[in-house]
Coordinates of all heavy atoms in Angstrom, one line a residue:
S1 N 0.8 -1.2 0.0 CA 0.0 0.0 0.0 C 0.9 1.2 0.0 O 1.7 1.4 0.9 CB -0.9 0.0 1.2 OG -1.6 1.2 1.4
V2 N 0.7 2.1 -1.0 CA 1.4 3.3 -1.1 C 0.5 4.5 -0.8 O -0.5 4.6 -1.4 CB 2.0 3.5 -2.5 CG1 2.8 4.8 -2.7 CG2 2.9 2.3 -2.9
P3 N 0.9 5.3 0.2 CA 0.1 6.5 0.4 C -0.1 7.4 -0.8 O 0.8 7.5 -1.7 CB 0.9 7.3 1.5 CG 1.7 6.2 2.1 CD 2.0 5.3 1.1
F4 N -1.3 7.9 -1.0 CA -1.6 8.7 -2.2 C -0.6 9.8 -2.5 O -0.1 9.9 -3.7 CB -3.0 9.2 -2.2 CG -3.5 9.6 -3.6 CD1 -4.1 8.7 -4.4 CD2 -3.3 10.9 -4.1 CE1 -4.5 9.0 -5.7 CE2 -3.7 11.2 -5.3 CZ -4.3 10.3 -6.1
D5 N -0.2 10.5 -1.5 CA 0.8 11.6 -1.8 C 2.1 11.1 -2.3 O 2.8 11.7 -3.1 CB 1.0 12.4 -0.5 CG -0.3 13.2 -0.1 OD1 -1.1 13.5 -1.0 OD2 -0.4 13.6 1.1
D6 N 2.5 9.9 -1.8 CA 3.8 9.3 -2.3 C 3.6 8.8 -3.8 O 4.5 8.9 -4.6 CB 4.2 8.1 -1.5 CG 4.6 8.5 -0.1 OD1 4.9 9.7 0.1 OD2 4.6 7.6 0.8
L7 N 2.4 8.4 -4.1 CA 2.1 8.0 -5.5 C 2.3 9.2 -6.4 O 2.9 9.1 -7.5 CB 0.7 7.5 -5.6 CG 0.2 7.0 -6.9 CD1 0.9 5.7 -7.2 CD2 -1.3 6.8 -6.8
V8 N 1.8 10.4 -6.0 CA 1.9 11.6 -6.8 C 3.4 12.0 -6.9 O 3.9 12.4 -8.0 CB 1.1 12.8 -6.1 CG1 1.4 14.1 -6.8 CG2 -0.4 12.4 -6.2
T9 N 4.2 11.8 -5.8 CA 5.6 12.1 -5.9 C 6.3 11.2 -6.9 O 7.1 11.7 -7.7 CB 6.2 12.0 -4.5 OG1 5.6 12.9 -3.6 CG2 7.7 12.3 -4.5
V10 N 6.0 10.0 -6.9 CA 6.6 9.0 -7.8 C 6.2 9.4 -9.2 O 7.1 9.4 -10.1 CB 6.2 7.6 -7.5 CG1 6.5 6.6 -8.6 CG2 6.8 7.1 -6.2
Y11 N 5.0 9.8 -9.4 CA 4.5 10.2 -10.8 C 5.4 11.4 -11.2 O 5.9 11.4 -12.4 CB 3.1 10.5 -10.8 CG 2.7 11.2 -12.1 CD1 2.5 10.4 -13.2 CD2 2.6 12.6 -12.2 CE1 2.1 11.0 -14.5 CE2 2.3 13.2 -13.4 CZ 2.1 12.4 -14.5 OH 1.8 13.0 -15.7
R12 N 5.5 12.4 -10.4 CA 6.2 13.6 -10.8 C 7.7 13.4 -11.1 O 8.3 14.0 -11.9 CB 6.0 14.7 -9.7 CG 4.6 15.2 -9.7 CD 4.5 16.3 -8.6 NE 3.1 16.8 -8.6 CZ 2.5 17.3 -7.6 NH1 3.1 17.4 -6.5 NH2 1.2 17.7 -7.7
T13 N 8.3 12.5 -10.3 CA 9.7 12.2 -10.5 C 10.0 11.3 -11.7 O 11.0 11.4 -12.3 CB 10.4 11.7 -9.2 OG1 9.8 10.5 -8.8 CG2 10.3 12.8 -8.1
Q14 N 9.1 10.3 -11.9 CA 9.4 9.3 -12.9 C 8.7 9.5 -14.2 O 9.1 8.9 -15.2 CB 9.0 7.9 -12.3 CG 9.8 7.5 -11.1 CD 11.2 7.4 -11.3 OE1 11.7 6.8 -12.3 NE2 12.0 8.0 -10.4
Q15 N 7.6 10.3 -14.2 CA 6.8 10.5 -15.4 C 6.5 9.2 -16.2 O 6.9 9.1 -17.4 CB 7.6 11.5 -16.3 CG 7.8 12.9 -15.8 CD 6.5 13.6 -15.6 OE1 5.8 13.8 -16.6 NE2 6.1 14.0 -14.4
P16 N 5.8 8.3 -15.6 CA 5.5 7.0 -16.2 C 4.5 7.2 -17.4 O 3.7 8.2 -17.5 CB 4.8 6.2 -15.1 CG 4.2 7.2 -14.2 CD 5.1 8.4 -14.3
D17 N 4.5 6.2 -18.3 CA 3.6 6.2 -19.4 C 2.2 5.8 -19.0 O 1.2 6.1 -19.6 CB 4.1 5.2 -20.5 CG 5.3 5.7 -21.2 OD1 5.5 6.9 -21.3 OD2 6.1 4.9 -21.6
L18 N 2.1 5.1 -17.9 CA 0.9 4.6 -17.3 C 1.1 4.2 -15.9 O 2.2 4.0 -15.4 CB 0.2 3.5 -18.1 CG 0.8 2.1 -18.0 CD1 0.3 1.3 -16.9 CD2 0.5 1.4 -19.3
M19 N 0.0 4.1 -15.1 CA 0.0 3.6 -13.8 C -1.0 2.5 -13.7 O -2.1 2.6 -14.4 CB -0.3 4.8 -12.8 CG 0.8 5.9 -12.8 SD 0.4 7.3 -11.8 CE 1.0 6.6 -10.2
L20 N -0.8 1.5 -12.9 CA -1.7 0.4 -12.7 C -1.8 0.1 -11.2 O -0.8 0.1 -10.5 CB -1.1 -0.8 -13.4 CG -2.1 -2.0 -13.5 CD1 -2.0 -2.7 -14.8 CD2 -1.8 -3.0 -12.3
T21 N -3.1 -0.1 -10.8 CA -3.3 -0.4 -9.4 C -4.5 -1.3 -9.3 O -5.4 -1.3 -10.2 CB -3.5 0.8 -8.5 OG1 -3.6 0.5 -7.2 CG2 -4.8 1.6 -8.9
V22 N -4.5 -2.2 -8.3 CA -5.6 -3.1 -8.0 C -6.0 -2.8 -6.6 O -5.2 -2.9 -5.7 CB -5.2 -4.5 -8.2 CG1 -6.4 -5.4 -7.8 CG2 -4.8 -4.8 -9.7
I23 N -7.2 -2.4 -6.4 CA -7.7 -2.2 -5.0 C -8.2 -3.5 -4.5 O -9.2 -4.1 -5.0 CB -8.8 -1.1 -5.0 CG1 -8.2 0.2 -5.5 CG2 -9.4 -0.9 -3.6 CD1 -9.2 1.3 -5.7
T24 N -7.5 -4.0 -3.5 CA -7.8 -5.4 -3.0 C -8.6 -5.4 -1.7 O -9.1 -6.4 -1.3 CB -6.5 -6.2 -2.8 OG1 -5.7 -5.5 -1.9 CG2 -5.8 -6.4 -4.1
S25 N -8.7 -4.3 -1.0 CA -9.4 -4.2 0.2 C -10.6 -3.3 0.1 O -10.6 -2.4 -0.8 CB -8.5 -3.8 1.4 OG -8.0 -2.5 1.2
D26 N -11.5 -3.4 1.0 CA -12.7 -2.6 0.9 C -12.4 -1.3 1.8 O -12.2 -1.5 3.0 CB -13.9 -3.3 1.5 CG -14.4 -4.4 0.6 OD1 -14.3 -4.2 -0.6 OD2 -15.0 -5.4 1.1
P27 N -12.3 -0.2 1.2 CA -12.1 1.0 2.0 C -13.4 1.3 2.8 O -14.4 0.7 2.6 CB -12.0 2.1 0.9 CG -12.2 1.5 -0.4 CD -12.5 0.1 -0.2
K28 N -13.2 2.1 3.8 CA -14.3 2.4 4.7 C -15.5 3.0 3.8 O -15.2 3.6 2.8 CB -13.9 3.5 5.7 CG -13.0 3.0 6.7 CD -12.6 4.1 7.7 CE -11.5 3.5 8.6 NZ -11.1 4.6 9.6
E29 N -16.7 2.7 4.2 CA -17.8 3.1 3.4 C -17.8 4.6 3.1 O -17.6 5.4 4.0 CB -19.1 2.7 4.2 CG -20.4 2.9 3.3 CD -21.6 2.4 4.0 OE1 -21.5 1.4 4.7 OE2 -22.7 2.9 3.7
G30 N -18.0 4.9 1.9 CA -18.0 6.3 1.4 C -16.7 6.9 1.1 O -16.5 7.9 0.6
K31 N -15.6 6.1 1.4 CA -14.2 6.6 1.2 C -13.7 6.3 -0.2 O -12.8 7.0 -0.7 CB -13.3 6.0 2.2 CG -13.6 6.4 3.6 CD -13.3 7.8 3.9 CE -13.6 8.2 5.4 NZ -13.4 9.6 5.7
I32 N -14.3 5.3 -0.9 CA -13.7 5.0 -2.2 C -14.0 6.1 -3.2 O -13.1 6.4 -4.0 CB -14.3 3.6 -2.7 CG1 -13.6 3.2 -4.0 CG2 -15.8 3.7 -2.9 CD1 -12.2 2.8 -3.9
Q33 N -15.1 6.8 -3.2 CA -15.3 7.8 -4.2 C -14.3 9.0 -3.9 O -13.8 9.5 -4.9 CB -16.8 8.4 -4.1 CG -17.1 9.3 -5.2 CD -17.0 8.7 -6.6 OE1 -17.7 7.7 -6.9 NE2 -16.1 9.2 -7.5
A34 N -14.1 9.3 -2.7 CA -13.1 10.4 -2.4 C -11.7 10.0 -2.9 O -11.0 10.8 -3.4 CB -13.1 10.7 -0.9
Y35 N -11.4 8.7 -2.7 CA -10.1 8.2 -3.2 C -10.0 8.3 -4.7 O -9.0 8.8 -5.3 CB -9.9 6.8 -2.7 CG -8.6 6.2 -3.2 CD1 -7.4 6.5 -2.5 CD2 -8.5 5.3 -4.2 CE1 -6.2 5.9 -2.9 CE2 -7.4 4.7 -4.6 CZ -6.2 5.0 -3.9 OH -5.0 4.5 -4.4
L36 N -11.0 7.9 -5.4 CA -11.0 8.0 -6.9 C -11.0 9.4 -7.3 O -10.3 9.7 -8.3 CB -12.3 7.3 -7.4 CG -12.4 5.8 -7.2 CD1 -13.7 5.3 -7.7 CD2 -11.2 5.0 -7.8
D37 N -11.7 10.3 -6.7 CA -11.7 11.7 -7.1 C -10.3 12.3 -7.0 O -9.9 13.2 -7.8 CB -12.6 12.5 -6.2 CG -14.1 12.1 -6.5 OD1 -14.4 11.5 -7.6 OD2 -15.0 12.5 -5.7
R38 N -9.5 11.8 -6.1 CA -8.1 12.3 -5.9 C -7.3 12.1 -7.2 O -6.4 12.9 -7.6 CB -7.4 11.7 -4.7 CG -8.0 12.2 -3.4 CD -7.2 11.8 -2.3 NE -5.9 12.6 -2.2 CZ -5.0 12.4 -1.3 NH1 -5.1 11.4 -0.4 NH2 -3.9 13.1 -1.3
F39 N -7.6 11.0 -7.9 CA -6.8 10.7 -9.2 C -7.1 11.8 -10.2 O -6.3 12.2 -11.0 CB -7.3 9.4 -9.7 CG -6.6 8.2 -9.1 CD1 -7.2 7.5 -8.1 CD2 -5.3 7.9 -9.4 CE1 -6.6 6.4 -7.5 CE2 -4.6 6.8 -8.8 CZ -5.3 6.1 -7.9
E40 N -8.4 12.3 -10.2 CA -8.8 13.3 -11.1 C -8.2 14.7 -10.8 O -7.9 15.5 -11.7 CB -10.3 13.4 -11.2 CG -10.8 14.2 -12.3 CD -12.3 13.9 -12.5 OE1 -13.1 14.0 -11.5 OE2 -12.7 13.7 -13.6
T41 N -8.1 15.0 -9.5 CA -7.7 16.4 -9.1 C -6.2 16.5 -8.9 O -5.7 17.6 -8.6 CB -8.4 16.8 -7.8 OG1 -8.1 15.8 -6.8 CG2 -9.9 16.8 -8.1
S42 N -5.4 15.4 -9.0 CA -4.0 15.5 -8.6 C -3.1 15.6 -9.9 O -1.9 15.6 -9.8 CB -3.5 14.3 -7.8 OG -4.0 13.1 -8.3
H43 N -3.7 15.8 -11.0 CA -3.0 16.1 -12.3 C -2.0 15.0 -12.7 O -0.9 15.3 -13.1 CB -2.3 17.5 -12.2 CG -3.2 18.6 -11.8 ND1 -4.2 19.0 -12.7 CD2 -3.3 19.3 -10.7 CE1 -4.9 20.0 -12.1 NE2 -4.4 20.2 -10.8
L44 N -2.5 13.8 -12.6 CA -1.7 12.7 -13.0 C -2.0 12.5 -14.5 O -3.1 12.0 -14.9 CB -2.0 11.4 -12.3 CG -1.8 11.5 -10.7 CD1 -2.3 10.2 -10.1 CD2 -0.3 11.7 -10.4
N45 N -1.2 13.0 -15.4 CA -1.5 13.1 -16.8 C -1.0 11.8 -17.6 O -0.3 11.9 -18.5 CB -0.8 14.3 -17.4 CG -1.5 15.6 -16.8 OD1 -2.7 15.6 -16.6 ND2 -0.7 16.5 -16.5
C46 N -1.5 10.7 -17.1 CA -1.2 9.4 -17.8 C -2.4 8.5 -17.5 O -3.1 8.7 -16.6 CB 0.1 8.8 -17.3 SG 0.0 8.1 -15.6
P47 N -2.6 7.5 -18.4 CA -3.6 6.6 -18.2 C -3.4 5.9 -16.8 O -2.3 5.5 -16.5 CB -3.6 5.6 -19.3 CG -2.7 6.3 -20.4 CD -1.8 7.2 -19.6
I48 N -4.5 5.7 -16.1 CA -4.4 4.9 -14.8 C -5.3 3.7 -15.0 O -6.5 3.9 -15.1 CB -4.8 5.8 -13.6 CG1 -3.9 7.0 -13.6 CG2 -4.7 5.0 -12.3 CD1 -4.4 8.2 -12.7
L49 N -4.7 2.5 -15.0 CA -5.5 1.3 -15.1 C -5.8 0.8 -13.7 O -4.9 0.6 -12.9 CB -4.7 0.3 -15.9 CG -4.1 0.8 -17.3 CD1 -3.3 -0.2 -18.0 CD2 -5.1 1.5 -18.1
V50 N -7.0 0.5 -13.5 CA -7.5 0.1 -12.2 C -8.4 -1.1 -12.2 O -9.2 -1.2 -13.1 CB -8.3 1.3 -11.5 CG1 -8.6 1.0 -10.1 CG2 -7.5 2.6 -11.6
S51 N -8.2 -2.0 -11.2 CA -9.1 -3.1 -11.1 C -9.4 -3.3 -9.6 O -8.8 -2.7 -8.7 CB -8.5 -4.3 -11.7 OG -9.5 -5.4 -11.8
G52 N -10.4 -4.2 -9.4 CA -10.7 -4.5 -8.0 C -12.2 -4.8 -7.9 O -13.0 -4.3 -8.7
R53 N -12.6 -5.7 -7.0 CA -14.0 -6.1 -6.9 C -14.9 -4.9 -6.7 O -16.0 -4.9 -7.2 CB -14.0 -7.1 -5.7 CG -15.4 -7.7 -5.5 CD -15.4 -8.7 -4.3 NE -15.5 -7.9 -3.1 CZ -14.8 -8.0 -2.1 NH1 -13.8 -8.9 -2.0 NH2 -15.0 -7.2 -1.0
I54 N -14.5 -3.9 -6.0 CA -15.3 -2.8 -5.7 C -16.0 -2.1 -6.9 O -17.1 -1.7 -6.9 CB -14.6 -1.7 -4.8 CG1 -15.6 -0.6 -4.3 CG2 -13.5 -1.0 -5.6 CD1 -16.4 -1.1 -3.2
F55 N -15.2 -2.2 -8.0 CA -15.7 -1.5 -9.3 C -16.8 -2.3 -9.9 O -17.6 -1.7 -10.7 CB -14.6 -1.3 -10.3 CG -13.5 -0.4 -9.8 CD1 -12.3 -0.9 -9.3 CD2 -13.7 1.0 -9.7 CE1 -11.4 0.0 -8.8 CE2 -12.8 1.8 -9.2 CZ -11.6 1.3 -8.8
F56 N -17.0 -3.6 -9.6 CA -18.0 -4.4 -10.2 C -19.1 -4.7 -9.2 O -20.1 -5.3 -9.6 CB -17.3 -5.7 -10.7 CG -16.2 -5.4 -11.7 CD1 -14.9 -5.4 -11.2 CD2 -16.5 -4.9 -13.0 CE1 -13.9 -5.1 -12.1 CE2 -15.4 -4.6 -13.8 CZ -14.1 -4.7 -13.4
E57 N -19.0 -4.2 -8.0 CA -20.1 -4.4 -7.0 C -20.8 -3.1 -6.8 O -22.0 -3.1 -6.4 CB -19.5 -4.9 -5.7 CG -18.9 -6.3 -5.8 CD -18.3 -6.7 -4.5 OE1 -18.1 -5.9 -3.6 OE2 -18.0 -7.9 -4.4
D58 N -20.2 -1.9 -6.9 CA -20.8 -0.6 -6.6 C -21.1 0.1 -7.9 O -20.2 0.7 -8.5 CB -19.9 0.2 -5.7 CG -20.5 1.4 -5.2 OD1 -21.6 1.9 -5.7 OD2 -20.0 2.0 -4.2
N59 N -22.3 0.1 -8.3 CA -22.7 0.8 -9.6 C -22.9 2.3 -9.4 O -23.1 2.9 -10.4 CB -23.9 0.1 -10.1 CG -23.7 -1.3 -10.6 OD1 -22.7 -1.7 -11.0 ND2 -24.8 -2.1 -10.4
N60 N -22.7 2.8 -8.2 CA -22.9 4.2 -8.0 C -21.6 5.0 -8.0 O -21.6 6.2 -7.8 CB -23.6 4.4 -6.6 CG -25.0 3.8 -6.6 OD1 -25.7 4.0 -7.6 ND2 -25.3 3.2 -5.5
L61 N -20.5 4.3 -8.3 CA -19.2 5.0 -8.3 C -19.1 5.9 -9.6 O -19.5 5.5 -10.7 CB -18.0 4.0 -8.3 CG -17.8 3.3 -7.1 CD1 -16.7 2.3 -7.3 CD2 -17.5 4.2 -5.9
R62 N -18.6 7.1 -9.4 CA -18.3 8.0 -10.6 C -16.8 7.8 -10.9 O -16.0 8.0 -10.0 CB -18.6 9.4 -10.2 CG -18.5 10.3 -11.5 CD -18.6 11.8 -11.1 NE -17.5 12.2 -10.2 CZ -16.2 12.4 -10.6 NH1 -15.9 12.3 -11.9 NH2 -15.3 12.8 -9.7
I63 N -16.6 7.3 -12.1 CA -15.2 6.9 -12.5 C -14.6 8.1 -13.2 O -15.1 8.6 -14.2 CB -15.1 5.7 -13.4 CG1 -15.9 4.5 -12.8 CG2 -13.7 5.3 -13.7 CD1 -15.3 4.0 -11.4
P64 N -13.5 8.7 -12.6 CA -12.8 9.9 -13.3 C -12.4 9.5 -14.7 O -12.1 8.3 -15.0 CB -11.6 10.1 -12.4 CG -12.0 9.6 -11.0 CD -12.9 8.4 -11.3
S65 N -12.3 10.5 -15.6 CA -12.0 10.2 -17.0 C -10.6 9.6 -17.2 O -10.4 9.0 -18.3 CB -12.2 11.5 -17.8 OG -11.3 12.5 -17.3
N66 N -9.7 9.8 -16.3 CA -8.4 9.3 -16.5 C -8.2 7.9 -16.0 O -7.1 7.4 -16.1 CB -7.3 10.3 -16.0 CG -7.4 10.5 -14.5 OD1 -8.4 10.3 -13.9 ND2 -6.3 10.9 -13.9
L67 N -9.2 7.3 -15.4 CA -9.2 5.9 -15.0 C -9.8 5.0 -16.0 O -10.8 5.3 -16.6 CB -9.9 5.8 -13.6 CG -9.4 6.5 -12.4 CD1 -10.2 6.1 -11.2 CD2 -7.9 6.2 -12.2
H68 N -9.1 3.9 -16.2 CA -9.6 2.8 -17.1 C -9.7 1.6 -16.3 O -8.7 1.1 -15.7 CB -8.6 2.6 -18.2 CG -8.3 3.9 -19.0 ND1 -9.0 4.2 -20.1 CD2 -7.3 4.8 -18.8 CE1 -8.5 5.4 -20.6 NE2 -7.5 5.7 -19.8
I69 N -10.9 1.1 -16.2 CA -11.2 -0.1 -15.3 C -11.1 -1.4 -16.1 O -11.6 -1.5 -17.3 CB -12.7 0.0 -14.8 CG1 -12.9 1.4 -14.1 CG2 -13.0 -1.1 -13.8 CD1 -12.0 1.7 -13.0
F70 N -10.5 -2.4 -15.6 CA -10.4 -3.7 -16.2 C -10.8 -4.7 -15.2 O -10.5 -4.6 -14.0 CB -9.0 -3.9 -16.8 CG -7.9 -4.1 -15.8 CD1 -7.5 -5.3 -15.4 CD2 -7.2 -3.0 -15.3 CE1 -6.4 -5.5 -14.5 CE2 -6.2 -3.1 -14.4 CZ -5.8 -4.3 -14.0
K71 N -11.3 -5.8 -15.7 CA -11.8 -6.9 -14.8 C -10.9 -8.1 -14.8 O -10.5 -8.7 -13.8 CB -13.2 -7.3 -15.1 CG -13.8 -8.3 -14.2 CD -15.3 -8.6 -14.5 CE -15.9 -9.5 -13.4 NZ -17.4 -9.6 -13.7
E72 N -10.4 -8.5 -16.0 CA -9.6 -9.6 -16.2 C -8.4 -9.3 -17.0 O -8.3 -8.2 -17.6 CB -10.4 -10.7 -17.0 CG -11.7 -11.1 -16.3 CD -12.6 -12.0 -17.2 OE1 -12.3 -12.2 -18.4 OE2 -13.6 -12.5 -16.6
I73 N -7.4 -10.2 -17.0 CA -6.2 -10.0 -17.7 C -6.4 -9.7 -19.2 O -5.7 -8.9 -19.8 CB -5.2 -11.1 -17.5 CG1 -3.8 -10.7 -17.9 CG2 -5.6 -12.4 -18.2 CD1 -3.1 -9.7 -16.9
A74 N -7.4 -10.3 -19.8 CA -7.7 -10.1 -21.2 C -8.1 -8.6 -21.4 O -7.8 -8.0 -22.4 CB -8.8 -11.0 -21.7
D75 N -8.9 -8.1 -20.5 CA -9.3 -6.7 -20.5 C -8.1 -5.8 -20.4 O -8.0 -4.8 -21.1 CB -10.2 -6.3 -19.4 CG -11.5 -7.1 -19.4 OD1 -11.9 -7.6 -20.5 OD2 -12.1 -7.4 -18.3
L76 N -7.1 -6.2 -19.6 CA -5.9 -5.4 -19.4 C -5.1 -5.4 -20.8 O -4.7 -4.3 -21.2 CB -5.0 -5.9 -18.3 CG -3.6 -5.3 -18.1 CD1 -3.8 -3.8 -17.9 CD2 -2.9 -6.0 -17.0
H77 N -5.0 -6.5 -21.4 CA -4.3 -6.6 -22.7 C -5.0 -5.7 -23.7 O -4.3 -5.0 -24.5 CB -4.3 -8.1 -23.2 CG -3.3 -8.9 -22.5 ND1 -1.9 -9.0 -22.8 CD2 -3.4 -9.7 -21.4 CE1 -1.3 -9.8 -22.0 NE2 -2.2 -10.2 -21.1
Q78 N -6.3 -5.7 -23.7 CA -7.0 -4.9 -24.7 C -6.8 -3.4 -24.4 O -6.6 -2.6 -25.3 CB -8.5 -5.2 -24.6 CG -9.3 -4.4 -25.7 CD -10.8 -4.8 -25.6 OE1 -11.2 -5.8 -25.1 NE2 -11.6 -4.0 -26.3
L79 N -6.9 -3.0 -23.2 CA -6.6 -1.6 -22.8 C -5.2 -1.2 -23.2 O -5.0 -0.1 -23.8 CB -6.8 -1.4 -21.3 CG -8.1 -1.2 -20.8 CD1 -8.1 -1.2 -19.2 CD2 -8.7 0.2 -21.2
L80 N -4.2 -2.0 -23.0 CA -2.9 -1.7 -23.3 C -2.7 -1.5 -24.9 O -2.1 -0.6 -25.4 CB -1.9 -2.7 -22.8 CG -1.7 -2.7 -21.3 CD1 -0.9 -4.0 -20.9 CD2 -1.1 -1.4 -20.8
A81 N -3.4 -2.4 -25.6 CA -3.3 -2.4 -27.1 C -4.0 -1.1 -27.5 O -3.5 -0.4 -28.5 CB -4.0 -3.6 -27.7
E82 N -5.1 -0.7 -26.9 CA -5.8 0.5 -27.4 C -5.0 1.8 -27.0 O -5.0 2.7 -27.8 CB -7.2 0.6 -26.7 CG -8.2 -0.4 -27.2 CD -9.4 -0.5 -26.3 OE1 -9.6 0.3 -25.4 OE2 -10.3 -1.4 -26.6
L83 N -4.3 1.8 -25.9 CA -3.6 3.0 -25.4 C -2.3 3.1 -26.1 O -1.8 4.2 -26.3 CB -3.4 2.9 -23.9 CG -4.6 3.0 -23.1 CD1 -4.3 2.7 -21.6 CD2 -5.2 4.5 -23.1
F84 N -1.7 2.0 -26.5 CA -0.3 2.1 -27.0 C -0.1 1.4 -28.4 O 0.9 0.7 -28.6 CB 0.7 1.5 -26.0 CG 0.7 2.2 -24.7 CD1 0.0 1.7 -23.6 CD2 1.3 3.4 -24.6 CE1 0.0 2.4 -22.4 CE2 1.3 4.1 -23.4 CZ 0.6 3.6 -22.3
H85 N -1.1 1.5 -29.2 CA -1.0 0.8 -30.5 C -0.1 1.5 -31.5 O 0.3 2.6 -31.5 CB -2.4 0.6 -31.1 CG -3.1 1.8 -31.5 ND1 -3.7 2.6 -30.5 CD2 -3.3 2.5 -32.6 CE1 -4.2 3.7 -31.1 NE2 -4.1 3.6 -32.3

């Protein structure tokens, strides 16, 4: 688990082509949307590929435009092909 502010620091110093994360634990109720919103407001200017059970169980989540959700490895392969063809 990397604190979000450290994630931003790594982004700024390394300038990655993409970031990938899998949310494996259930955040406290109501906290997941605030966490996702931070991706949108922290100026991470690269695709962010995200997976985790929460995305397929909670239909009320608003997904920021710079997040790309994948469920299976085949979805990840397709996203990578679309982003870097």
Side-chain angles (χ1 to χ4, degrees):
S1 171
V2 178
F4 196 88
D5 292 338
D6 292 342
L7 184 71
V8 172
T9 299
V10 169
Y11 170 80
R12 288 182 181 153
T13 59
Q14 299 299 313
Q15 295 292 303
D17 293 328
L18 69 88
M19 298 175 83
L20 185 143
T21 189
V22 177
I23 298 175
T24 59
S25 62
D26 291 329
K28 293 179 184 176
E29 189 169 329
K31 298 290 183 183
I32 187 66
Q33 188 64 61
Y35 180 76
L36 295 176
D37 291 344
R38 290 188 74 183
F39 281 100
E40 191 168 49
T41 60
S42 50
H43 307 291
L44 301 174
N45 295 319
C46 70
I48 302 165
L49 311 181
V50 184
S51 191
R53 188 180 79 230
I54 189 76
F55 295 104
F56 305 99
E57 292 177 349
D58 187 345
N59 294 328
N60 295 318
L61 290 176
R62 187 188 63 75
I63 307 300
S65 62
N66 59 338
L67 294 187
H68 304 272
I69 308 300
F70 68 95
K71 186 173 187 176
E72 301 173 351
I73 195 72
D75 301 331
L76 175 60
H77 284 275
Q78 182 177 347
L79 275 172
L80 291 171
E82 291 171 5
L83 293 167
F84 300 103
H85 64 284

